[in-house]
Amino acid sequence: MRDEIHRWILSSRYGPGDKLPLDKDIAVELGCARSTVVRAMQDLTQTGLIERRRKGGTQVRHHRATRAVVDIPVHRVAIESQGARYDHRLLSQETHTPPDHIAQAMRLGAMADCLHVRAVHLADDRPYIYENRWIACTVFAGHPPPDFTTISANEWLVAHCPYDDISVSFSAVSANRDLAETLASNIGNAHFCVERCTWSQGQPITMVTSFFHAGYRLNLQ
Amino acid sequence: MRDEIHRWILSSRYGPGDKLPLDKDIAVELGCARSTVVRAMQDLTQTGLIERRRKGGTQVRHHRATRAVVDIPVHRVAIESQGARYDHRLLSQETHTPPDHIAQAMRLGAMADCLHVRAVHLADDRPYIYENRWIACTVFAGHPPPDFTTISANEWLVAHCPYDDISVSFSAVSANRDLAETLASNIGNAHFCVERCTWSQGQPITMVTSFFHAGYRLNLQ
DNA sequence: AAGTGGTCTAGACCACGTA
DNA sequence: ACGTGGTCTAGACCACTTA
């Protein structure tokens, strides 16, 4: 039934900017319950095809945005699912206060300490991702931080610090000398870069910048 | 109520890999209808926190992936919403059969003709996006293709060809001479690149590769 | 103030996967 | 074959937004 409603809307019966009938009228028209129409409409809202406003009704969006879900698995899982052998190497790990732009992005209080962790993730011993991470010390809750040489910070956080808010951005960067050496690339090469910040109940957890090996491509659903 | 269920699950009552109670038991525990629990669980499935299987029950995912929604508006809207003046320039437009890798990505039948359109989108007269697009000729349904000098192909397609299936990928590329000139960049500069393919009822509509100006950053929700 | 979508209920039946 | 989640119904009440 939901699919039928989706087809009913999509079959170019309505174009960009058009106002759709009331939910209850659509329900009558298609011979189903209003709640079914509501559910179908909420699906279409999520995919970005329509806009709904209380009292304002439902419209087909004038400029439908391309909307897709991006899924970035734990690095180890991503590498192993390609059939490659995973490994990682801790480059450095020190506790200090992060630079301003990091603290700002994390919405950190002034002078809050972070654990700064740099690591490389390897696929069949070849550099795959260079990870530059800041972890709010509050997440260790007094306990000493774990040994990130045996478990990557990426994986430890996924297992121990569930988040309820996240901010992500993508960009392309040219490798400087450091990045080129870490990723066995060349100075100036283009690298795909993901920046992530996570929070739990308003408290910052971590901010990580990941640089992928040259030629990496991220596929969405 | 849904939020209450979300909090109930998230409050570290259950960790990665843990099995959750049956929907109906949660409903009893929290004093609400099962359908409410189902809805809340479906939300959490979408955000990637849990996995549900008929007969298998509900589990907290072992390795929670970072999952976010990416929204790429029509280029004109993206540029204007930054307060910049939008313009675009058609670079070329010809009809012929696309190279194999394009036809394959579009799931095009052999020898199906496409309109090949190349254009630049400008923000305050500065190159913002270079767009390399293939449009399946079937979408024009016999009519002559519109004049893409007055309306960009991007915008025309959004207005006239709703899609129900899409594939997107992101990458970083180094500018070759052509790209550098088109985007007023420099050879070797890193550019963010989006590749999109859309279909309607199984029929290919368009495949587009968009190269963003150097320094571009895509933010997700 | 009124109209629209948003959420919830209590129940039914269905579809899928596992045993 | 059975147990679990998935979808649907018919109805109630609520929340927001616009007129």
Side-chain angles (χ1 to χ4, degrees):
Chain A
M1 192 69 234
R2 246 155 84 186
D3 285 348
E4 191 179 320
I5 298 174
H6 291 162
R7 279 193 299 273
W8 190 79
I9 304 292
L10 280 167
S11 57
S12 62
R13 195 184 311 271
Y14 301 98
D18 287 356
K19 188 164 180 173
L20 300 189
L22 301 187
D23 289 3
K24 65 164 195 235
D25 293 339
I26 296 180
V28 170
E29 169 95 19
L30 297 183
C32 65
R34 178 173 81 101
S35 45
T36 304
V37 175
V38 168
R39 188 57 150 100
M41 292 306 208
Q42 287 170 342
D43 294 342
L44 296 178
T45 302
Q46 268 205 324
T47 66
L49 184 70
I50 61 175
E51 261 177 345
R52 283 157 76 76
R53 257 162 316 181
R54 283 160 152 144
K55 169 89 182 186
T58 305
Q59 286 193 17
V60 178
R61 286 179 55 162
H62 285 87
H63 298 287
R64 179 184 188 180
T66 292
R67 187 170 288 184
V69 173
V70 56
D71 224 344
I72 308 174
V74 173
H75 298 328
R76 179 177 63 73
V77 171
I79 288 171
E80 287 175 348
S81 73
Q82 291 177 15
R85 195 170 58 76
Y86 172 78
D87 200 4
H88 68 102
R89 228 174 274 147
L90 182 64
L91 300 179
S92 73
Q93 166 171 1
E94 337 168 333
T95 301
H96 50 89
T97 58
D100 277 357
H101 71 280
I102 301 283
Q104 229 163 358
M106 293 177 73
R107 307 176 205 146
L108 257 184
M111 303 311 252
D113 268 359
C114 279
L115 184 64
H116 183 202
V117 178
R118 294 165 55 248
V120 194
H121 300 263
L122 308 164
D124 284 338
D125 294 318
R126 294 206 304 228
Y128 195 86
I129 293 169
Y130 165 53
E131 167 181 326
N132 192 339
R133 183 185 290 274
W134 299 83
I135 307 172
C137 283
T138 47
V139 308
F140 303 119
H143 302 75
D147 177 10
F148 288 141
T149 55
T150 54
I151 182 173
S152 80
N154 180 228
E155 198 148 350
W156 186 85
L157 285 163
V158 166
H160 295 87
C161 299
Y163 60 84
D164 54 28
D165 189 15
I166 183 168
S167 143
V168 184
S169 77
F170 297 139
S171 56
V173 304
S174 289
N176 58 17
R177 182 190 197 82
D178 229 40
L179 185 57
E181 277 177 11
T182 311
L183 285 179
S185 174
N186 293 302
I187 294 177
N189 267 4
H191 290 268
F192 185 69
C193 169
V194 176
E195 213 173 279
R196 270 176 290 182
C197 246
T198 55
W199 296 268
S200 173
Q201 296 166 14
Q203 296 307 304
I205 300 175
T206 188
M207 154 138 191
V208 58
T209 310
S210 300
F211 302 90
F212 288 73
H213 66 89
Y216 177 79
R217 170 182 294 270
L218 179 65
N219 296 300
L220 285 69
Q221 308 153 348
Chain B
M1 192 68 234
R2 246 154 84 185
D3 286 348
E4 192 179 319
I5 299 174
H6 291 163
R7 280 193 298 274
W8 190 78
I9 304 292
L10 280 167
S11 57
S12 63
R13 194 184 312 270
Y14 301 100
D18 287 357
K19 188 164 183 174
L20 299 189
L22 301 187
D23 289 2
K24 65 165 196 237
D25 293 339
I26 296 179
V28 170
E29 167 96 20
L30 298 183
C32 66
R34 178 173 80 101
S35 45
T36 305
V37 175
V38 167
R39 188 58 150 101
M41 291 305 208
Q42 285 170 343
D43 295 342
L44 296 178
T45 301
Q46 267 206 325
T47 66
L49 184 70
I50 61 175
E51 259 177 344
R52 282 158 76 75
R53 259 163 314 181
R54 283 159 151 142
K55 170 92 181 185
T58 305
Q59 285 194 16
V60 178
R61 285 178 56 161
H62 285 87
H63 297 286
R64 180 184 187 180
T66 292
R67 186 171 289 182
V69 173
V70 56
D71 224 344
I72 309 173
V74 173
H75 298 328
R76 180 177 63 72
V77 171
I79 288 171
E80 286 175 346
S81 73
Q82 290 176 17
R85 196 170 57 77
Y86 172 78
D87 200 4
H88 68 102
R89 228 175 275 147
L90 182 63
L91 299 180
S92 73
Q93 167 171 1
E94 337 167 333
T95 301
H96 50 89
T97 57
D100 278 356
H101 69 281
I102 302 283
Q104 227 163 0
M106 293 176 74
R107 306 177 206 147
L108 257 183
M111 303 311 252
D113 267 1
C114 280
L115 184 65
H116 184 201
V117 179
R118 291 166 55 251
V120 193
H121 299 264
L122 308 163
D124 285 339
D125 293 319
R126 293 205 305 227
Y128 195 86
I129 292 169
Y130 165 53
E131 168 182 326
N132 192 340
R133 184 185 289 275
W134 299 82
I135 307 171
C137 283
T138 48
V139 308
F140 303 120
H143 301 75
D147 177 11
F148 288 140
T149 55
T150 55
I151 181 173
S152 81
N154 181 227
E155 199 149 348
W156 185 85
L157 284 162
V158 166
H160 295 87
C161 298
Y163 59 84
D164 55 26
D165 189 16
I166 183 169
S167 141
V168 184
S169 77
F170 297 139
S171 56
V173 304
S174 289
N176 58 18
R177 183 192 196 81
D178 227 40
L179 184 58
E181 276 176 12
T182 311
L183 285 179
S185 174
N186 294 301
I187 294 177
N189 267 3
H191 290 269
F192 185 69
C193 169
V194 177
E195 213 173 279
R196 270 177 289 182
C197 246
T198 55
W199 297 268
S200 174
Q201 295 165 15
Q203 296 306 306
I205 300 175
T206 188
M207 155 138 191
V208 58
T209 311
S210 301
F211 300 90
F212 289 74
H213 66 88
Y216 176 79
R217 172 183 292 271
L218 178 65
N219 296 301
L220 285 69
Q221 309 151 347

